[in-house]
Amino acid sequence: MNHSEQPTKTKRPPGRPKRQEHEEATSEFILKTASDLFMEYGYEPISLKQIAEACGITKAAIYYHYENKAQLFTAAVTAMMERARKTSEEIMQQRDLPLYDRLVMLAERKLRFPHGDFETILRKASDALTKEQLERIRRSEESIHHVLTVSFTEAIRKEEVRPLHPLLMAHTLASMLMLGNREVANDIQPSPQELARDIIEMFWNGVGMEPKPRSDEPK
């Protein structure tokens, strides 16, 4: 090799430093793990130590990212809501499919990942949260309702559903889907798919222009 030639150093592409990327990935993993535990067991029974053990990290590592359990709970729940919002938006924007079919897809997706009753969990956690934290959680929850409200507004315009209040329709559907997170749902239907279809059928027969026949009924 010519002595005048020097080996070319590989430059790292511009962007976030590796340390920052690692910290962000760790934070996201903590949030996902924490939201799963909080939604299954509630706020009070779960400690930061349990979350750290589930993540395979130290409790100090939790404190590096979050000051206390209330802050972690807020961040975990809002991150969970944001994932749900994105999923809901992706499904509801598939406008080549009828609204009924999109609602079934949405219900099936939600019921595949059941968790505890969110209102009960939040009510029991509320004493430990600040007003700002509660408002942040409620705003993230409303972002999901907004996706449905937009879809129902469009469906009303296209005369796919009755001209009812779209926000009320969104909250009604969300409440009906919460039934799938209760133990009684296990005694009603053997699978999330069947339960999702039954819930959407009941909802649709209340808001749809015409009843949607069951797949097992003769046409």
Side-chain angles (χ1 to χ4, degrees), residues 175-193:
S175 297
M176 293 178 72
L177 291 176
M178 282 301 298
L179 293 173
N181 295 319
R182 298 181 179 174
E183 291 182 3
V184 67
N186 297 328
D187 300 325
I188 297 174
Q189 291 291 354
S191 73
Q193 291 78 15

Side-chain angles (χ1 to χ4, degrees), residues 8 55 58 64 109 115 124 169 191:
T8 302
C55 292
T58 64
Y64 177 81
R109 170 68 181 178
H115 54 69
K124 292 183 176 181
M169 293 164 67
S191 73

Side-chain angles (χ1 to χ4, degrees), residues 90-144:
E90 288 172 0
I91 293 173
M92 299 311 293
Q93 285 182 348
Q94 297 182 44
R95 293 182 174 85
D96 55 321
L97 296 176
L99 176 63
Y100 181 89
D101 293 344
R102 284 178 279 156
L103 293 177
V104 170
M105 290 174 61
L106 185 71
E108 289 179 352
R109 170 68 181 178
K110 178 175 176 55
L111 297 177
R112 274 204 304 268
F113 304 99
H115 54 69
D117 183 77
F118 178 70
E119 287 300 323
T120 301
I121 292 170
L122 186 59
R123 184 174 64 252
K124 292 183 176 181
S126 60
D127 288 342
L129 305 177
T130 66
K131 180 181 177 181
E132 290 73 20
Q133 288 170 334
L134 283 169
E135 288 177 350
R136 181 181 169 192
I137 291 171
R138 286 303 186 189
R139 284 196 301 271
S140 67
E141 184 182 22
E142 283 302 315
S143 70
I144 302 174

Side-chain angles (χ1 to χ4, degrees), residues 17-181:
K18 284 186 177 180
R19 179 182 176 84
Q20 182 181 352
E21 291 178 351
H22 175 71
E23 290 176 357
E24 290 178 358
T26 301
S27 178
E28 289 177 6
F29 183 59
I30 292 172
L31 291 178
K32 179 63 171 63
T33 303
S35 66
D36 289 345
L37 290 173
F38 284 135
M39 290 301 101
E40 183 172 359
Y41 299 104
Y43 179 82
E44 193 59 38
I46 296 300
S47 67
L48 293 182
K49 180 181 178 181
Q50 289 171 308
I51 295 172
E53 290 175 350
C55 292
I57 59 178
T58 64
K59 188 176 176 180
I62 297 282
Y63 279 116
Y64 177 81
H65 294 277
Y66 303 98
E67 294 179 4
N68 50 51
K69 189 166 79 166
Q71 187 185 74
L72 174 56
F73 177 82
T74 303
V77 169
T78 53
M80 178 189 71
M81 293 291 186
E82 176 59 16
R83 291 194 298 271
R85 184 198 66 79
K86 288 182 178 179
T87 299
S88 299
E89 198 167 56
E90 288 172 0
I91 293 173
M92 299 311 293
Q93 285 182 348
Q94 297 182 44
R95 293 182 174 85
D96 55 321
L97 296 176
L99 176 63
Y100 181 89
D101 293 344
R102 284 178 279 156
L103 293 177
V104 170
M105 290 174 61
L106 185 71
E108 289 179 352
R109 170 68 181 178
K110 178 175 176 55
L111 297 177
R112 274 204 304 268
F113 304 99
H115 54 69
D117 183 77
F118 178 70
E119 287 300 323
T120 301
I121 292 170
L122 186 59
R123 184 174 64 252
K124 292 183 176 181
S126 60
D127 288 342
L129 305 177
T130 66
K131 180 181 177 181
E132 290 73 20
Q133 288 170 334
L134 283 169
E135 288 177 350
R136 181 181 169 192
I137 291 171
R138 286 303 186 189
R139 284 196 301 271
S140 67
E141 184 182 22
E142 283 302 315
S143 70
I144 302 174
H145 294 147
H146 177 71
V147 172
L148 290 172
T149 301
V150 170
S151 296
F152 288 138
T153 300
E154 181 181 9
I156 291 171
R157 181 177 57 81
K158 293 181 177 179
E159 298 185 345
E160 291 181 281
V161 296
R162 293 164 55 195
L164 305 173
H165 196 296
L167 181 58
L168 177 60
M169 293 164 67
H171 278 271
T172 299
L173 178 58
S175 297
M176 293 178 72
L177 291 176
M178 282 301 298
L179 293 173
N181 295 319

